[in-house]
Amino acid sequence: MAICSGRTVIITGAGGGLGRAYALAFAAEGANVVVNDIRQAAAEEVAREIRAAGGQAIANSDDITKLQSAQRIVDAALEVFGEVHVLVNNAGVLRDRMFISLSEEDWDTVMNVHLKGHYCLANILGRRWRDLAKVGTPVDARIINTSSGAGLQGSIGQSNYSAAKGGIASLTLVQAAELARYGVTANALAPAARTSMTENAMPDVVKKPEDDSFDAWAPENVAPLVVWLGSSQSKHVSGQVFESQGGRISLGDGWRTGVTRDKGARWQVGEVGAAVDQILAEAPKAQKVWGS
């Protein structure tokens, strides 16, 4: 049996790139798919493709960055499919500049789409799932967020994007801890694939191979992990950040308390430098900031 049979998934930014790949893959595994994209025509095209293959899908272009319009996305899913079991927060934008060249609009646009866009639908659905659990209705729900290597390691020229994606990773940890009691898991993905954003940012890196060799940047490579995380099979996995590119799945090793010096008393200013130097000498080296 298909692993998502009977489950309904909302996928944001699903009119192309990774979101489209996720939508097609979920449908192939039996899920009902709500294809959300600000570009109505793109959303309709993906929904038609799913239906033409025998799947169930509707298109939606409501704004994910406001609770009122995000509610309409959920309402549309409930009206057609009866329930929502999975949310894939995938939509995003770029406004790349060196930090001191960022305008306030560049900052706010990226924060609004990424961070607030991750808040609105998850907040609405989280409250729904909580209320169902409290009246004894079994809940087996999933939140799948989208972070980035830029959010985990930083990326030169992308301070706004890196900050938003780092915030999404932390948000995921808190969602997982708070929502577990209601039957909800939350995980995040840092995907690396060819999308309109990456083609604009690094076209030579993500271009499709000219021969028949493995296309390591194809968005379809990331989809199986996302579909599995959205299935009932993944209920034991929560609060994790995965990186995925090509044939690779990696677990993000997050911030944790590392090498320590404890004097057992207040440090004197003149002592701090030597202690910090010893800590840094013993600590594992951090991954480099992307672009450095």
Side-chain angles (χ1 to χ4, degrees):
M1 178 184 290
I3 67 170
C4 289
S5 180
R7 292 173 74 76
T8 296
V9 55
I10 295 174
I11 306 172
T12 68
L18 284 164
R20 174 182 175 275
Y22 300 161
L24 296 175
F26 266 106
E29 288 295 332
N32 306 312
V33 183
V34 179
V35 181
N36 168 265
D37 199 291
I38 196 170
R39 304 162 300 167
Q40 179 69 29
E44 290 283 4
E45 178 59 32
V46 175
R48 279 195 296 269
E49 189 173 353
I50 289 171
R51 292 193 295 266
Q56 300 294 319
I58 60 171
N60 176 279
S61 60
D62 282 305
D63 185 358
I64 64 170
T65 69
K66 296 180 176 63
L67 282 173
Q68 183 178 20
S69 48
Q71 182 68 58
R72 292 198 293 268
I73 303 171
V74 175
D75 290 344
L78 296 176
E79 181 180 356
V80 177
F81 299 124
E83 191 50 82
V84 178
H85 308 90
V86 185
L87 169 63
V88 180
N89 281 314
N90 168 73
V93 296
L94 291 177
R95 294 292 185 272
D96 291 355
R97 306 278 191 280
M98 299 301 280
F99 176 68
I100 58 174
S101 298
L102 279 176
S103 68
E104 185 174 9
E105 182 181 5
D106 292 332
W107 183 269
D108 288 346
T109 295
V110 169
M111 292 298 163
N112 199 39
V113 174
H114 289 278
L115 271 177
K116 194 175 180 188
H118 271 62
Y119 157 77
C120 289
L121 279 166
N123 180 264
I124 292 167
L125 287 168
R127 285 186 277 114
R128 176 178 178 80
W129 293 330
R130 175 202 61 191
D131 293 346
L132 288 172
K134 282 188 172 183
V135 298
T137 302
V139 174
D140 186 23
R142 307 284 181 267
I143 297 172
I144 303 170
N145 293 327
T146 303
S147 184
S148 167
L152 305 180
Q153 284 94 42
S155 178
I156 288 176
Q158 293 188 308
S159 56
N160 49 357
Y161 182 74
S162 296
K165 290 302 192 182
I168 288 167
S170 296
L171 171 65
T172 303
L173 303 183
V174 178
Q175 288 173 330
E178 292 185 354
L179 299 177
R181 72 190 73 179
Y182 307 124
V184 182
T185 71
N187 293 286
L189 187 71
R194 184 171 50 255
T195 67
S196 59
M197 289 200 305
T198 57
E199 284 183 313
N200 288 330
M202 47 183 187
D204 292 337
V205 174
V206 303
K207 65 182 178 182
K208 191 172 183 177
E210 297 179 359
D211 56 20
D212 294 330
S213 60
F214 177 51
D215 183 1
W217 291 95
E220 291 78 10
N221 298 330
V222 182
L225 172 60
V226 179
V227 172
W228 183 82
L229 286 172
S231 75
S232 292
Q233 296 180 7
S234 68
K235 65 176 61 179
H236 61 293
V237 178
S238 194
Q240 305 300 325
V241 178
F242 294 96
E243 295 184 81
S244 178
Q245 188 259 331
R248 173 177 60 87
I249 297 174
S250 304
L251 184 65
D253 189 6
W255 291 102
R256 62 187 70 241
T257 303
V259 178
T260 303
R261 289 290 185 277
D262 185 355
K263 180 182 175 182
R266 182 183 302 145
W267 292 90
Q268 299 299 312
V269 172
E271 301 173 317
V272 171
V276 169
D277 287 344
Q278 291 172 5
I279 289 170
L280 293 176
E282 294 178 24
K285 300 303 180 187
Q287 286 183 233
K288 287 186 176 182
V289 171
W290 289 95
S292 66

